[in-house]
Amino acid sequence: MFDGLQFQHWQPRLRDDGFVVLTLDRADQRVNALSAAVLEELEQAVERIAIGKPKGVVIISGKQAGFVPGADISEFQEFDAKGIVHDRIRAGQGILQKLAELPVPTVCAIHGHCMGGGTELALACDYRIATSDESTRIGLPEVKLGIYPGWGGSVRLPPLVGAPAAMDMMLTGRGLSAKAARGIGLVDKVVEPAVLLDAAIELGRRGTTRPFKQRALGWATNIWPTRQVLAPILVKQVSRKARKEHYPAPFSLIETWRRSGGTVDARLKAEAKSVARLAQTPTARNLVRVFFLQERLKGLGGKEHGIQHVHVVGAGVMGGDIAAWSALKGFDVTLEDREMKYIEPALQRADKLYAKKVKDDARRSETRARLVADVAGEGVAKADLVIEAIFENLEAKQALYAKAEASLKPDATLASNTSSIALDELAADLKAPERFAGLHFFNPVSMMPLVEIVRHEKMDEATQKRLAAFCRAIGKLPVPVAGSPGFLVNRILMPYLLEAMTCHSEGVPGPVIDKTAVKFGMPMGPIELADTVGLDVAASVGKILADFLGLPIPKGLESKLEHGKRGRKDGEGFYVWEDGKAKKPEVPKEYRAPEDLEDRLILPFVNEAVACWHEGVVEDADLLDAGVIFGTGFAPFRGGPITYARSAGPAKLKARLEQLAGRHGDRFAPRPGWDELIAAGTDSPGP
C-alpha cells in the first residue's frame, strides 16, 4: 500500500488484520509538532489509504513525550513574514479534510499531551480513544496565541460536543483530562496506556454509537436560531475577562461561528479567513513572541539539577508555600521555623493546596508525606538545596547563613528568597559564596510562574544553571537578574504601585485607578494589587527602592499600617475584603478621572524598565520583557514594556515623561536608556 513512499516522520504499518497503524514520530524533534513536512507526509499516506481501503486506520504517537503538542509555531512566524498564512491554513484544512473523508474507520489514539493542531487532527478522525494517565491532556489553546483553531477545530468541535462545551474549550484554552474529554463526548473511550493500541483497533473494528443526548446537544446548539441566541451570551461572558480591542480572537471566534453555516467547506473557508486575519494583528504577533520567550526561559537550565532534598527556613506565607509546592512537584522537603506553632499554618495551607491539585487519595497522602516539619533544623545537613525565606533583615539572614554553612553538604546550594536586599551584602560573610544565590518567588507561589535567580559578583555559573533546572522541575520559569535592590520585577513594579498610591492620596478613587490600569491591559489594578500583595510588604520594599530610585512614599500608607490595615490578609487596606474579594466603593457618576492618569500609572513602569535594560539588570530586552510579563502580568498582548516602548515610539514616550515631570515632579524624569532606544531606530510602529 505504501510502496515507493519514503517517510521521515510517519511509520505506516499494515497489520495482518487489515488495519493500518500510522505512527507519528517526527524525525528532527523531541515532540510531534505538526510542521508542513509532517502534514504533507500525512497527506501522501491518506491518499494511499483512500485507494487501498484497509479495514481501518489508527493514528498513534511514537514519542514517549506525548501525542502532538500542536502546530510548529516557528513555521507560523515564517508564514506570517512571507504573507502566506491564509494559504497554509487552507492547505492544513485540506489535508485534515481528506483524512475526515476516508471511506474506512479512523481512530486517533491519544496518550500524553494532545493540543492545538493535535486535537484538530483527532477531530478529523471518526473516533478518539485516550489513556487514563495523568499526563493525558486534550485542548485547543490557540486563543493564547491570539488566534483560534484554524485547521477545522472550530468547525468540527461544536457539532461533536455541543456549542457550550466547545466554546468553553476554545475560549479558555484549558486542557481536559481524558475523563473530562470523555464526559463531554470529545473522547469515545478511556483505557490504560498498556492497551491503547489494541483498544483503538477494537474501537475501529466495532465502532460506537454516541449517546442520543450528546448527538441531540450537538445538533440543537449549532442550528442557526440557537447560534443567534447563544452568541451574545458568550460575548458577554468573554467581555468580563477580556477587552475586544486587546484580545480580538475570542470575539472573532464567536462571530464566525454565529454567522457561518452551510457546507463543511464553506465553514472551513470562513474559519481560515478569520484566523488568517487575526494572525496578522499586533496582538497575535506579540503573543507568539511571548510563547517563544517562555520557551527560552524553560530552556535556561536544562534538566540536570541533582536536587532531591529541599530544606526551607521560614514557614511564613512565602516559605511555607515554597515548601508545599516543592513537595507537590516530587521533592523531599523539610520546613523549619522557631516553633511548631509557626509551621502548622503552612502545613494547613499545604493540605488545601494538595486537595485541589491531587485528586487521587493515595497520591495525595504520598505528596503530604514528602513535606515534614523540622523545628530543630536537622534537614539542613541532608539538603541539596536550602532556601532561606525569613523576614527582610540583613543581619538576621547573615546569622542564619553562618549557622547553616556549618552543616551544609559540600555540594549543597544555599539560596535566599529576599525580595529587595542586595545579594552582594547578603553574601559578604559566606564561606562559599559561589554556591549562594537569590531565588525570589512571587506570591501566591502556586499561581505565579516566574522565579528570579538573583546573581552576585562571586556566584558560580553552575549555581545559576542548577537553580534554573530546579525551577523547571517545579514548573516555574527562571529569569537570571542582577542583584541590585529590587532586582527586576519589584524594581519595575514599585514606581507603578507607588504612583497609584500617590494618585489615591490626591483623591483619585481606587476603582478609577484600577479601571484605568485594566483598560491599558493589566490583569489587576495597582490599588487592588497592593492590597493583595500586602501593604506591609509594599511599604518595606517601597522604602528600599524609594531611597534607591528617589521616589516619594505616598501619604497615608504608614497610617494604614499603624492601624493594622495591611490589605487582603487583614480584611482591610485600601479596600474592604470579604471572602478573598475586594469590595470596591461606588464612584460618583459625575466624577471625571484626570486626563493624564493612564500615563501617570504606566509610564513610570516603562521608564524603570528602560533603566533596567540600560543597566543590564537582565541579559537583553527579550528577557526583560519575559520577566516582567510573567512576574507582573504586564499586558502580554503588548509584548512587554520594552516592546511597548518601541511600538508606541520611544521619542514620544520620553517627551511625555518630560511633560509629566514638569507637571508632577522629578520622579517622572526620563531614566537613562531612552536615548539609546531612540537612536536604535525603534521609533517606528510595530513590535
Side-chain angles (χ1 to χ4, degrees), residues 503-504 507-514 527 575 585-588 591 597:
C503 291
H504 189 274
V508 182
V512 172
I513 296 170
D514 285 346
I527 298 299
Y575 298 130
E586 290 288 332
V587 178
Y591 180 82
L597 181 58

Side-chain angles (χ1 to χ4, degrees), residues 2 117 177 184 267 270 279 306 311 328 350 396 405 445 462 520 563 577 602 630 637 669-670 677:
F2 301 103
S177 66
I184 65 171
R267 285 179 282 147
H311 183 80
L328 175 68
E405 276 198 313
V445 172
F520 174 81
H563 289 85
W577 290 77
I602 303 304
F630 294 116
F637 72 93
L677 212 54

